[in-house]
Every structure is written in C-alpha cells, then in structure tokens.
Amino acid sequence: MSKQQARLLPSAPTPRKTRLEDQNILLYGPPKIGKSSFAAQMDMPIFAATEDGLHGLEVYQVPIGDWPTFCQFCQEIATGDHPFKNVVIDTVDNLFKYCSQYMCAKLGIIHESEMEWGKGWAIVKNEFMRVITKLASLPYGLFMISHADLREIRTRTEKYDKWMPTMSKQAWEIVYPFLDIILFATLEETEEGEEQRVIHTRASKYWEAGCRFPVPEVLPLDFQTFKKEYEEAVSK
C-alpha cells in the first residue's frame, strides 16, 4: 500500500447509535387512531404530508403531492438551514405511489409491469431507495407513518390474518431493511372493559413489529411514554 493511499480499515469500533432521534421508525395502525398525534410530540418535527389528515394538529408541514416536490423537500432539509430535528413522512404509502407515478411518466409507460423482466419495478425501487436512503443518513430523526391492513397468511399447515402496513410490497421491501423500530398501533380492551390505544413493540404471529432495545412489549399510544421507556432500555 502506498503512503499516499488512505487506510480503509478502522482503528476503533463504530459507537452505537442510541439516541431515539438516530433511529429510523415506522408507526402503522388503523386510520384516526392517533399516529400523527404521536409523531407530533417529537422534538421539532416537520411533516412531509402526502395526504390531507393534519387538520386537528398545529404542526409544521409541507404538502407533498408529487415526487419532485418531495425531492425538493429533502434537498432543503439536507442544507441544515432550519430548526427541525425530526422528519415525519405521513404517509409513506402515498409517497411510494408518487415516486411510481413520476418514474412511469418519465419512462413513458402507464404501469411498471409494461417493461420486460421487472425493469420498471427495478427503476422505481432504485429511485425510491436512492432518495430515502439519503434522507435517512441525515442527522435528523426519520419517522414514517403507514395505515394497517389485515393480510391473509398461508402456510403448509394453517391460514390466518396478520396486521401489516398498507404500503405496497415493493415499498415494504425497500423500507423494512433499514428500520430500527416498527410500532403497531391498535385498540385493545382493558380488564375494566374499556378500550385503550396502545402500541406493540414486538412482533407476533398476528402483527409486524420490532425494536432493537428491550422496551415493554405493549405501551400506551403516547410518544413521551415511549421515549421514557426507550431511554431506560438504552441505559440498561
């Protein structure tokens, strides 16, 4: 190796990223359960609002109606010339649709399937991954919201329904690998017979969820409560 050539091997291990703002988070659940309200409790969030559902919240938001607008939004966030500390995509389902519509129009096709050997899908996925990966690498929290849908799961021995995010399979294949936390919001009945809004942090046969740190499996649908439990889990 020449003296001028930079050394690739590290001299120290990479420190763990433990701040909640350093985690890529997905929250999904049925409509109107309080997903956006949960995200609004974060420290200085900015909403990339891909659907019209924030009327009841006083938050900073940028209406996103197409892919070029979202790309411009990402460029402005990347400059750092703003007070925002967390980026909320509400919802990631619509955002992927906008990416698909834009790329199909650019390719002169109506649907990705029109191109042979899955080339259309590959081009859309590559574009979506390019922008989302760059956004996730910025020093801001990345919080994505999706709705929930019951999907039939079939195995060799049984058939059952499982709650999953409503985003398309192609979007899920891109988003899932770099998620650190997946939260499933739902309504559950208490011992007193009352309904309460909760989040599940661990995967089940009947829903998708997960967290890298040992937080309680079920928590109230409240960001401050989740943050407190998360910080305690990290400290242990």
Side-chain angles (χ1 to χ4, degrees):
M1 183 177 69
S2 68
K3 293 182 179 179
Q4 290 77 22
Q5 188 173 355
R7 184 178 177 86
L8 292 177
L9 299 180
S11 58
T14 303
R16 289 193 311 159
K17 290 186 176 181
T18 57
R19 291 192 318 140
L20 187 56
E21 291 77 11
D22 291 330
Q23 312 303 311
N24 298 322
I25 304 173
L26 171 71
L27 171 65
Y28 75 103
K32 309 302 180 186
I33 196 171
K35 301 183 294 294
S36 300
S37 298
F38 183 96
Q41 297 178 57
M42 302 177 76
D43 187 13
M44 284 301 294
I46 175 71
F47 280 73
T50 67
E51 62 179 46
D52 192 22
L54 296 173
H55 296 300
L57 298 173
E58 187 174 337
V59 294
Y60 292 96
Q61 61 171 300
V62 176
I64 305 293
D66 54 52
W67 187 246
T69 302
F70 181 72
C71 291
Q72 180 183 346
F73 168 84
C74 293
Q75 289 173 358
E76 294 187 20
I77 288 294
T79 65
D81 186 21
H82 55 77
F84 307 114
K85 299 180 180 179
N86 289 280
V87 176
V88 182
I89 300 175
D90 188 3
T91 62
V92 68
D93 309 53
N94 281 349
L95 185 62
F96 186 80
K97 291 178 185 177
Y98 295 154
C99 178
S100 173
Q101 291 167 358
Y102 174 76
M103 294 307 293
C104 284
K106 193 173 181 179
L107 294 168
I109 59 177
I110 297 176
H111 192 268
E112 296 90 340
S113 61
E114 292 182 36
M115 297 186 71
E116 60 181 4
W117 305 111
K119 287 182 179 179
W121 284 116
I123 291 172
V124 172
K125 289 168 68 175
N126 287 342
E127 170 66 7
F128 190 77
M129 181 180 293
R130 178 185 70 82
V131 177
I132 290 296
T133 301
K134 186 176 293 185
L135 180 61
S137 69
L138 297 176
Y140 310 108
L142 179 57
F143 193 100
M144 291 175 280
I145 293 175
S146 178
H147 297 307
D149 184 34
L150 270 177
R151 298 183 183 178
E152 185 177 85
I153 306 298
R154 292 175 177 268
T155 69
R156 290 188 299 174
T157 58
E158 62 179 335
K159 179 178 69 174
Y160 60 93
D161 291 332
K162 181 176 182 177
W163 287 105
M164 293 287 294
T166 51
M167 70 183 77
S168 68
K169 178 183 177 183
Q170 290 76 20
W172 180 244
E173 288 175 353
I174 298 169
V175 170
Y176 179 78
F178 69 84
L179 289 173
D180 301 296
I181 300 172
I182 303 172
L183 305 175
F184 170 51
T186 187
L187 286 172
E188 290 192 350
E189 190 173 298
T190 65
E191 294 180 356
E192 293 75 24
E194 299 178 352
E195 284 191 332
Q196 65 174 354
R197 300 178 182 190
V198 301
I199 51 174
H200 288 274
T201 67
R202 291 286 181 272
S204 160
K205 176 180 177 180
Y206 301 109
W207 59 75
E208 185 66 55
C211 182
R212 298 184 186 277
F213 297 93
V215 298
E217 294 187 12
V218 184
L219 288 167
L221 181 58
D222 176 75
F223 178 77
Q224 297 304 328
T225 301
F226 172 71
K227 182 178 180 180
K228 177 177 178 292
E229 293 291 347
Y230 173 86
E231 291 175 347
E232 288 183 2
V234 169
S235 67
K236 295 177 183 178

